[in-house]
Amino acid sequence: MTRDVRTISEETTASTAARVFAEDDIGSVIVTAPETNDIQGIVTKSDIMHQVAVDADISSVSVGSFMSTPVITVAGDKSIHTAASLMKEHSIRHLPVVDDSELIGILTTTNLAHYLPRLRKNILWARDESSG
């Protein structure tokens, strides 16, 4: 997972969110409540592109009006298999990771793609060890 997660408030404009995506080379931001940091929603590049496609004024429309909610999350102590299953079940590519409702990271399909070779290697190693 990526531990450095960008957050914004629901009043943030779509154009500001798009600028964050471009500057930080990321595909999503988590929308949190400013006072409590509670997760309120998630906005992805696809959400911004949809706003552009429907001719929304992205310089004035706030992300709170189109963010995805409720946000599917996974606890940090769950397995990679559990996280991947959640992503598949809900057809999502960005999965916030929480510890007692506190945002501690985000798991993306890119993270999973980078992890797969290591997982394959570990499975093959375990197979070799068990066969003696």
Side-chain angles (χ1 to χ4, degrees), residues 1-5 74-77 96-99 102-106:
M1 77 174 176
T2 302
R3 292 191 183 276
D4 186 23
V5 182
V74 67
D77 62 352
V97 181
V98 296
D99 186 14
E102 181 182 333
L103 182 64
I104 60 170
I106 191 161

Side-chain angles (χ1 to χ4, degrees), residues 32-83:
T32 58
E35 310 80 34
T36 62
N37 285 332
D38 290 341
I39 297 173
Q40 296 179 307
I42 186 169
V43 176
T44 67
K45 282 184 180 179
S46 296
D47 295 327
I48 301 294
M49 292 306 298
H50 178 77
Q51 293 301 305
V52 171
V54 298
D55 290 328
D57 179 4
I58 65 168
S59 64
S60 64
V61 66
S62 68
V63 297
S65 67
F66 64 86
M67 66 186 179
S68 296
T69 186
V71 179
I72 306 301
T73 62
V74 67
D77 62 352
K78 297 298 181 188
S79 71
I80 191 75
H81 181 267
T82 298

